[in-house]
Amino acid sequence: MELKLNINNVKREVHVEPVETGFIVRVDGEEYAVTDAVTGGGRISFVIGPKLHTGLISCSHDGIGFSMRSHFYRVVEEASDADRPTTTHISHGRLEAPMPGNIVAINVDAGDEVTAGQPVIVLESMKMQNEITSPFNGTVERIICTVGEQVGFGQVLAEIAPSKTP
């Protein structure tokens, strides 16, 4: 599998190849033997050499992210939006925190109509503000967080019901 990751604002090419003992992961030509990879509950744990590594995986309408040791990596997808698969939490309208952080703004109220891409919540993490946007046109069913609240990775922040008309 070929991926392009944005690591520290630099695009890196990543190749993942399954082998009998786990995976060989190549990042810009540097090779890592990964064993004992386990995923579940938005987490991934894996072993490289003698060290165990654990990170958090997040999915949102703008891609897949990976947080590990205070660093956030984003998969850079070059496919068009039409080719991009829809993830489960988008289809049912749950907006989840893509990383731990602090809620600094809530731009809508329950009952408000929203459009795809409209900023709903602003989450500050690692001194950066991240807009959590509506994945589709719809109605805000409920806001589950408050300004100033510390939230964890994957925590549900709001729920949006899709519009019945396209």
Side-chain angles (χ1 to χ4, degrees), residues 10-166:
V10 175
K11 283 187 183 178
R12 307 279 185 187
E13 293 193 21
V14 178
H15 177 80
V16 180
E17 178 184 342
V19 294
E20 192 174 307
T21 57
F23 300 92
I24 298 296
V25 178
R26 289 182 194 86
V27 180
D28 289 341
E30 181 126 5
E31 193 171 285
Y32 302 90
V34 177
T35 61
D36 301 315
V38 178
T39 61
R43 295 184 185 276
I44 183 169
S45 296
F46 54 93
V47 176
I48 297 176
K51 287 190 162 191
L52 174 67
H53 302 274
T54 299
L56 302 173
I57 301 170
S58 62
C59 298
S60 71
H61 69 282
D62 50 88
I64 299 169
F66 177 66
S67 300
M68 189 168 82
R69 281 183 264 148
S70 301
H71 296 287
F72 184 73
Y73 310 94
R74 180 162 309 281
V75 175
V76 179
E77 295 186 74
E78 297 190 346
S80 70
D81 286 341
D83 295 332
R84 188 170 302 168
T86 303
T87 59
T88 304
H89 78 283
I90 289 173
S91 64
H92 59 67
R94 290 172 48 190
L95 299 185
E96 299 174 359
M99 62 195 78
N102 182 47
I103 303 298
V104 295
I106 299 173
N107 300 326
V108 297
D109 292 312
D112 286 355
E113 296 292 319
V114 292
T115 58
Q118 178 179 339
V120 175
I121 294 169
V122 180
L123 173 71
E124 183 177 72
S125 181
M126 298 181 286
K127 299 182 183 178
M128 292 185 63
Q129 292 193 357
N130 304 277
E131 290 183 336
I132 312 299
T133 60
S134 178
F136 42 67
N137 296 342
T139 304
V140 178
E141 288 188 317
R142 63 186 190 140
I143 301 294
I144 305 169
C145 59
T146 58
V147 172
E149 181 180 356
Q150 290 287 329
V151 297
F153 168 79
Q155 183 173 332
V156 178
L157 306 176
E159 292 180 350
I160 298 175
S163 296
K164 297 193 186 324
T165 57

